[in-house]
Amino acid sequence: QVQLVESGGGLVQTGGSLRLSCAASGRTFSMYDMGWFRQAPGKEREFVGAISPNGGNTVYADSVKGRFTISRDNAKKTVYLQMNSLKPEDTAVYYCAMNFWRHALSVTSTGYEYWGQGTQVTVSS
């Protein structure tokens, strides 16, 4: 049984930073691609970024490139999303997702099999 648990969300002012964590259990974490997605009220879930099993390959949405960084610690079975220079438009529920390694990182939600419950990030102006 795969379980993904996000943490680290909260309320932050514009320009601030947050680090989200996603702890995994139930699979060999080091064999899985990990992704981050977000969903704002009234909007579809959108891709934020993803990281390959060994951390050597990452991909980001244009909207967060240069501000957000994904990393992972396979020994701790945890993936992180460091968010800097936050903007009000970053306000959303953030989800981590997991899928068995592929040759190319997926940027769509259909490319991930397992999902966490989400953590709220609110950026005040």
Side-chain angles (χ1 to χ4, degrees), residues 29-34 51-56 72 74 101 105:
F29 182 75
S30 60
M31 297 177 68
Y32 283 77
D33 294 337
M34 298 298 298
I51 188 168
S52 59
N54 66 359
R72 64 190 294 163
N74 285 345
W101 172 81
L105 291 168

Side-chain angles (χ1 to χ4, degrees), residues 66-81:
R67 300 187 297 122
F68 291 10
T69 303
I70 297 176
S71 60
R72 64 190 294 163
D73 185 334
N74 285 345
K76 295 182 178 179
K77 295 185 177 182
T78 301
V79 62
Y80 304 97
L81 181 65

